[in-house]
Amino acid sequence: MTDVSYLPGYYPFMAPARMRYVATLHGIRPPAISKGFDFLELGCGFGSTLLTLAAANPQGSFTGIDFMPVHTRHIEREVAATDLRNVRVLCADFAAMPADLPKFDFIALHGVFSWVSPELRQHVLGIIRRHLKPDGIVEVTYNCMPGWSSLLPVRTLLRHFAERAEGDSIDRVRQALTIVADMRKADIPLFHDQPLAAQLVDRLVQADLHYVAHEYLNEHWTVFHAADVLAMFAGIGLGHAGRLPYHHNHWELCAKPQFARQFQGADLSTLETLKDHHANAMFRWDLFSPRPREPWTPRQRAEAADDLFFRTASPQASLPHTVTYGGVTAGIAGPPHDRMLKVMGQASWSLPMLLDEPQLSQFTPESLIEAVDAGMAMGLFRVDGGSVIDPIPPVETILASRLSVPLPFNRRGLKRPDLVNEQVGLASLTTGAGHEIGDLHAVILDELISGGTRGLEDRIADRLARTDKHLREHTTGRPITNPVELSKAVHAICADFFTTVLPELVRQGIVVWDRDQAVGKAL
Ligand SMILES: C[S@@+](CC[C@H](N)C(=O)[O-])C[C@H]1O[C@@H](n2cnc3c(N)ncnc32)[C@H](O)[C@@H]1O
């Protein structure tokens, strides 16, 4: 697929801290990153993730490779405009890599492995074999079985109708999708009998056509069983080093308890395939590493990555905390979780800090580490590559100070969106990762930074009018045009921004406040 571009998007699972945490879960020592590291993205598209991570990790060197000049030229322009010195982008085909490509600590490929020919896949595996450092981590995503088994006909139909349509890939996929959507509306037996296929069509009708074209019209498109991918990577000397999202690393969260016995004792690749079958998975984020899995003591585990910092994912977090994943319901309650949450507050802690904390000394190191892993798996905690210090001042104090967004990368990101229902990925030097906010929140932040709080809501309403974009009613989706209603809606969105979004941006150092420069009264 080379006649239409892909679409930009920040993918949080590609942040080094997340990959490193998952590796440690399996006893795999991850690459150290504090003194610098090398990161390669194969098939980087418009480079949103690459650039965000590069801005958040000035100590790292980031290389992106893609064979579409429209993608690589965009990245070059962004690099120049944001003064990112640690990004190199190469317009090259996986089949012909430049001779001077170095070795990397991280190699990521998202949206590539399932969508290239078998020959190119061998080239990709060859690049990984030659260019991954001995303690490096590879992250690869692909379409998997059995989730696609009832969805395959949707691709067959889309490709069939697109081949007979006219225009570029966007035109052709639009025409094909119209026919398939009509079939779905007519409830033909295919969609009547396969509700998941019908739901997929409903989603595709709403999706960006650049995505639909790249996913469905691509000539090469392979759905793998996890075991086959694990075997391919074993062929280049790499073992499975875990998965994202985090809960997939705990088979108890991937199988209803009554089937646990059937899962036990299975070898790793069978277990991964069984988990996918239980969950009807259709997409995987897998990690691979050349390093062996080590039987660590809790202390060794804590020290394997003592620069990973854990904190509660949301200030509203409370116990009991319950989740349901693919039909499995699980929860967190009681000690040591309750005590840990109290001690940690809103600040972030490394595993050695938790093990050495006197207030947690009545718990064994095993139970504290298990509690962190359970919290991670169930979304109670998040992991960062840097520590976030609590407390931050009340939002009134922040708003009464001069605020700034120090990174040029982030300032440029705030200028881009004009309410097109996209997320905006901002870079945090504090966490070493990206942080996404909604485009409307990005506009509020941009106005706040450039003009302060005075008249903020009016300025936002003006900007909405100027860009001919509308806020919509929650229930009906109708544009809000009545000035009184509009001003109420803008007020509500600003209030939400101040209470939930701004404090986190300050905590992550994306927005900094200058306590000596009070500039006016808060709203
Ligand atoms: C589905 S997109 C994913 C882009 C990006 N990783 C993301 O997730 O946003 C796949 C990317 O791989 C690139 N690509 C496909 N085949 C390639 C090849 N043989 N050599 C280099 N790049 C290739 C495409 O140009 C495209 O940007």
Side-chain angles (χ1 to χ4, degrees):
M1 173 67 49
T2 50
D3 68 326
V4 298
S5 60
Y6 196 55
L7 61 166
Y10 171 72
Y11 296 97
F13 289 162
M14 280 163 63
R18 300 193 181 205
M19 295 193 217
R20 297 174 74 232
Y21 165 70
V22 171
T24 62
L25 263 180
H26 298 283
I28 292 169
R29 193 172 298 281
I33 63 167
S34 62
K35 297 201 177 81
F37 62 92
D38 295 296
F39 188 111
L40 169 67
E41 184 177 1
L42 292 172
C44 56
F46 280 119
S48 309
T49 306
L50 188 81
L51 293 167
T52 309
L53 291 177
N57 293 280
Q59 85 281 24
S61 296
F62 289 77
T63 303
I65 296 181
D66 202 287
F67 70 170
M68 284 185 66
V70 63
H71 290 160
T72 52
R73 278 199 303 263
H74 171 85
I75 299 177
E76 278 160 5
R77 275 196 304 276
E78 291 301 304
V79 164
T82 53
D83 200 22
L84 282 174
R85 310 262 164 108
N86 56 345
V87 178
R88 178 187 184 202
V89 59
L90 302 170
C91 190
D93 192 296
F94 302 143
M97 284 292 101
D100 68 340
L101 200 65
K103 287 191 186 274
F104 296 90
D105 299 282
F106 301 93
I107 299 182
L109 45 156
H110 175 47
V112 170
F113 207 67
S114 274
W115 297 266
V116 292
S117 67
E119 300 75 51
L120 260 178
R121 212 159 18 247
Q122 288 311 314
H123 282 294
V124 165
L125 288 167
I127 297 169
I128 294 170
R129 183 173 49 74
R130 290 191 303 277
H131 295 284
L132 186 69
K133 289 186 189 173
D135 63 350
I137 296 179
V138 176
E139 179 168 76
V140 57
T141 65
Y142 53 95
N143 283 337
C144 70
M145 289 298 257
W148 276 99
S149 52
S150 64
L151 308 178
L152 281 171
V154 175
R155 176 177 187 258
T156 307
L157 291 178
L158 283 174
R159 262 181 73 82
H160 174 84
F161 296 128
E163 261 167 35
R164 281 149 191 79
E166 302 207 325
D168 68 10
S169 294
I170 295 293
D171 295 329
R172 291 189 298 113
V173 82
R174 183 184 294 112
Q175 294 167 54
L177 198 50
T178 306
I179 303 171
V180 176
D182 283 346
M183 292 173 141
R184 187 265 185 269
K185 268 191 228 125
D187 202 26
I188 63 168
L190 171 70
F191 295 120
H192 181 85
D193 296 348
Q194 317 237 42
L196 287 179
Q199 283 168 25
L200 176 63
V201 175
D202 295 345
R203 282 205 306 278
L204 293 182
V205 170
Q206 304 290 330
D208 188 313
L209 290 178
H210 290 79
Y211 159 75
V212 185
H214 273 264
E215 174 72 51
Y216 292 90
L217 301 194
N218 219 17
E219 183 187 352
H220 299 286
W221 191 83
T222 314
V223 181
F224 294 104
H225 280 102
D228 297 333
V229 176
L230 266 62
M232 277 186 246
F233 278 86
I236 55 166
L238 306 190
H240 194 241
R243 283 171 83 170
L244 286 134
Y246 305 122
H247 73 272
H248 288 298
N249 296 287
H250 306 272
W251 66 264
E252 309 89 317
L253 294 177
C254 299
K256 282 183 184 271
Q258 63 266 40
F259 302 113
R261 218 158 44 86
Q262 315 300 335
F263 279 55
Q264 262 160 8
D267 64 80
L268 190 82
S269 68
T270 310
L271 183 63
E272 287 303 311
T273 306
L274 281 176
K275 287 189 322 198
D276 289 345
H277 279 68
H278 187 288
N280 197 27
M282 62 186 289
F283 194 73
R284 286 179 60 108
W285 291 79
D286 276 351
L287 301 184
F288 292 94
S289 159
R291 287 193 73 97
R293 294 181 174 214
E294 294 177 39
W296 285 332
T297 62
R299 179 60 67 176
Q300 286 169 326
R301 157 77 196 278
E303 279 161 9
D306 57 2
D307 54 354
L308 289 176
F309 292 87
F310 300 86
R311 64 180 165 127
T312 43
S314 145
Q316 285 81 41
S318 64
L319 299 183
H321 175 83
T322 310
V323 292
T324 299
Y325 293 131
V328 180
T329 299
I332 296 176
H337 311 278
D338 47 1
R339 182 88 197 163
M340 243 167 87
L341 275 186
K342 247 196 211 107
V343 169
M344 290 167 73
Q346 291 301 305
S348 48
W349 294 58
S350 69
L351 291 183
M353 283 162 68
L354 282 169
L355 300 197
D356 294 338
E357 169 56 40
Q359 294 181 73
L360 298 173
S361 62
Q362 77 256 44
F363 302 109
T364 62
E366 284 95 332
S367 68
L368 290 175
I369 289 182
E370 260 176 44
V372 170
D373 290 337
M376 287 292 291
M378 296 187 222
L380 186 65
F381 291 139
R382 52 176 283 166
V383 66
D384 292 321
S387 77
V388 173
I389 309 295
D390 206 39
I392 56 164
V395 76
E396 292 73 27
T397 312
I398 296 172
L399 283 175
S401 322
R402 183 170 300 283
L403 299 179
S404 62
V405 172
L407 282 182
F409 175 83
N410 290 340
R411 287 203 298 276
R412 185 165 169 87
L414 293 180
K415 291 291 173 208
R416 210 176 32 225
D418 254 322
L419 308 170
V420 282
N421 298 325
E422 277 174 11
Q423 295 286 99
V424 178
L426 301 173
S428 164
L429 291 170
T430 307
T431 66
H435 178 73
E436 286 188 298
I437 61 175
D439 52 4
L440 192 47
H441 285 154
V443 168
I444 298 175
L445 179 57
D446 188 38
E447 288 293 333
L448 186 63
I449 299 304
S450 52
T453 52
R454 235 174 271 275
L456 177 67
E457 294 180 5
D458 291 341
R459 293 196 326 263
I460 291 166
D462 279 356
R463 187 153 157 181
L464 281 170
R466 256 202 331 275
T467 51
D468 201 24
K469 302 282 178 190
H470 301 285
L471 294 182
R472 292 178 183 277
E473 285 174 11
H474 264 312
T475 41
T476 63
R478 267 201 302 272
I480 303 175
T481 44
N482 173 309
V484 179
E485 293 297 310
L486 181 62
S487 123
K488 260 200 218 150
V490 170
H491 182 75
I493 289 165
C494 285
D496 177 47
F497 175 81
F498 295 143
T499 48
T500 61
V501 180
L502 186 59
E504 182 61 23
L505 292 170
V506 171
R507 210 170 265 134
Q508 293 199 26
I510 293 170
V511 172
V512 298
W513 63 290
D514 183 343
R515 76 187 69 220
D516 300 327
Q517 292 210 44
V519 289
K521 252 166 48 74
L523 279 182

